[in-house]
Amino acid sequence: MGARETREEIVAAADDLFYRQGFDHTSFADIAGAVKLSRGNFYYHFRTKDEILDAVIDRRLEATRAMLAGWAAEGASPVARIECFVRILIMNQIRIMAYGCPVGTLCQELAKLDHAARARAADVFALFRDWLTAEFEALGAGDEAGALALHVLGWSQGTAALANAFKDEVFVRREVDGMCAWLAAQARRLARARR
Amino acid sequence: MGARETREEIVAAADDLFYRQGFDHTSFADIAGAVKLSRGNFYYHFRTKDEILDAVIDRRLEATRAMLAGWAAEGASPVARIECFVRILIMNQIRIMAYGCPVGTLCQELAKLDHAARARAADVFALFRDWLTAEFEALGAGDEAGALALHVLGWSQGTAALANAFKDEVFVRREVDGMCAWLAAQARRLARARR
DNA sequence: GTCTATATAGTGATAGAC
DNA sequence: GTCTATCACTATATAGAC
């Protein structure tokens, strides 16, 4: 097999394992086993664990950009597009209840490890923040857009954290509905202010 | 030194290290070093790492009960008492920006490790949830109390998660103000409904 | 590009002297 | 109650054969 394809298989497997088991708790042997490679051969593709982490973060940044671009095309209005973001809590509910939010949990783990890649992991959060900010600007939020974006992002993070701790589907549904209602209220308020 | 005191020193050191470095990443050697014990002697006090974790969770449960009891005595009204909870985001801001919320991060790590103590770690969350629920009931929220409690708890979790990722003090301040304003609005709404 | 074999360091955990 | 010495295991990482 070509080195390029093998490398990508490794990164995909590492991405999944880092999410489900955590970065520190996932060994080279785990990843090598998942792609059916010997540990020796593994080092031909990646020399250090930090190199794999960098590649995984790159992959997540790219996947996030693609997802955000998809929502931008899918939603007819800023409200509809922001609702796409909110709904990932429902769409990924089972995985979130089991393993938490992939973005938030990696950031938190790297913070505890005091890892050099900590800032790059937070860049995934920044992609969401900037995308949401642009949508709130399109809604006419002006200077307020950044604050509204962080509020929605934080709200969804908190919902994911408690979904993981309590495994309460009703809670998740209720918070998502609350977010959508809040979003509609903000849209009305901003529309009034614009007149 | 008495075994009791040594044991408590170990648990206090482990509590701190588990918070700052994570449970899995903290070794026996780290804890033994922090309390200036040899690793051999260490095993006289705790036979397994899971035993230390159990003791740390017990300690956190006890500390949380004491804190909640303190707030119950301190605040003159349910709103004032719930504001005590909200303000821990400000009081512990520096540590939260560095290491996240102690409760949330331990729950998330144990979830990834698929650790047996996962449910007991979530019990600390449950203490906050039940205390907040009782306060919202005192505010006249009735059946709604549990949902309002989880909403505040989730909001503070999300704020802690993003505070850790972005280290943005202005954001934390703004969300805390937002929580207090939301709380006041809920109190007004419930007071109206009671009339 | 893939493998086996191996070096080195750290882990949780135990035994037994003092 | 505290220590040193040690065990079995796993981790990252390397060397070199094929």
Side-chain angles (χ1 to χ4, degrees):
Chain A
M1 198 183 329
R4 187 120 245 162
E5 290 96 10
T6 305
R7 197 189 145 95
E8 261 163 48
E9 270 187 55
I10 291 173
V11 176
D15 191 348
D16 183 53
L17 286 167
F18 288 175
Y19 175 45
R20 280 168 30 222
Q21 307 185 342
F23 166 70
D24 198 50
H25 197 65
T26 299
S27 69
F28 277 14
D30 289 337
I31 306 168
V35 290
K36 291 180 175 64
L37 275 182
S38 71
R39 266 175 322 209
N41 184 16
F42 193 90
Y43 280 85
Y44 173 81
H45 299 280
F46 287 97
R47 308 178 79 82
T48 69
K49 205 175 170 184
D50 291 353
E51 245 178 75
I52 305 176
L53 179 60
D54 269 342
V56 166
I57 294 175
D58 282 338
R59 183 187 152 90
R60 291 194 184 182
L61 284 166
E62 197 40 59
T64 302
R65 282 193 200 97
M67 187 168 65
L68 294 173
W71 292 343
E74 191 184 323
S77 66
V79 167
R81 290 193 284 271
I82 297 170
E83 280 177 351
C84 289
F85 166 77
V86 171
R87 268 197 301 272
I88 51 176
L89 282 168
I90 303 285
M91 287 185 52
N92 298 340
Q93 194 169 39
I94 292 162
R95 286 168 73 84
I96 288 171
M97 289 201 297
Y99 314 112
C101 165
V103 188
T105 54
L106 183 64
C107 278
Q108 271 188 348
E109 183 180 2
L110 297 185
K112 300 240 178 201
L113 301 181
D114 199 21
H115 195 285
R118 181 184 181 174
R120 290 197 67 233
D123 285 346
V124 185
F125 261 144
L127 282 181
F128 282 105
R129 179 197 59 195
D130 296 344
W131 183 87
L132 286 166
T133 300
E135 292 301 332
F136 278 109
E137 275 168 358
L139 214 54
D143 291 348
E144 236 188 316
L148 294 171
L150 280 177
H151 180 67
V152 176
L153 195 56
W155 195 343
S156 75
Q157 273 300 298
T159 305
L162 292 196
N164 182 242
F166 291 131
K167 303 191 193 301
D168 180 345
E169 289 177 51
V170 176
F171 161 73
V172 176
R173 180 80 253 171
R174 196 169 52 220
E175 292 299 310
V176 166
D177 289 346
M179 275 183 248
C180 290
W182 173 86
L183 186 57
Q186 294 300 316
R188 283 195 301 273
R189 181 177 67 79
L190 293 167
R192 271 200 307 276
R194 259 201 295 194
R195 274 199 306 249
Chain B
M1 197 181 334
R4 186 120 246 161
E5 290 97 3
T6 304
R7 196 189 146 94
E8 262 163 50
E9 268 186 59
I10 290 172
V11 177
D15 191 347
D16 183 53
L17 285 168
F18 288 176
Y19 175 44
R20 280 166 33 219
Q21 308 185 345
F23 166 70
D24 198 51
H25 196 65
T26 299
S27 68
F28 277 12
D30 290 336
I31 306 169
V35 290
K36 290 179 176 63
L37 276 182
S38 71
R39 263 176 321 180
N41 184 16
F42 192 91
Y43 280 85
Y44 173 79
H45 299 280
F46 288 97
R47 308 177 79 82
T48 69
K49 203 175 172 183
D50 291 353
E51 245 180 73
I52 306 176
L53 179 60
D54 270 342
V56 165
I57 293 174
D58 282 339
R59 182 187 153 89
R60 291 193 184 182
L61 285 167
E62 198 40 61
T64 303
R65 281 192 200 97
M67 186 168 66
L68 295 173
W71 293 343
E74 190 185 325
S77 67
V79 167
R81 290 194 284 272
I82 298 170
E83 279 178 352
C84 289
F85 166 76
V86 170
R87 268 197 301 273
I88 51 175
L89 282 167
I90 302 285
M91 287 185 52
N92 299 339
Q93 195 171 38
I94 292 162
R95 286 168 73 84
I96 288 172
M97 290 200 296
Y99 313 111
C101 165
V103 187
T105 54
L106 183 65
C107 279
Q108 271 188 348
E109 182 180 2
L110 296 184
K112 300 240 177 200
L113 300 180
D114 200 22
H115 195 286
R118 181 184 180 176
R120 291 197 66 236
D123 285 345
V124 185
F125 261 144
L127 283 181
F128 283 104
R129 179 197 59 196
D130 296 344
W131 183 87
L132 286 166
T133 300
E135 293 301 331
F136 277 110
E137 276 169 358
L139 213 55
D143 291 349
E144 234 188 317
L148 293 172
L150 279 178
H151 179 67
V152 175
L153 194 57
W155 195 342
S156 76
Q157 274 300 298
T159 304
L162 291 196
N164 183 241
F166 290 131
K167 302 193 195 299
D168 180 345
E169 290 178 48
V170 176
F171 161 74
V172 176
R173 180 81 253 172
R174 197 170 52 221
E175 291 299 310
V176 166
D177 289 346
M179 275 182 247
C180 290
W182 173 86
L183 187 57
Q186 292 302 315
R188 282 195 301 274
R189 180 177 67 81
L190 292 167
R192 272 200 307 275
R194 260 200 297 194
R195 274 199 306 251

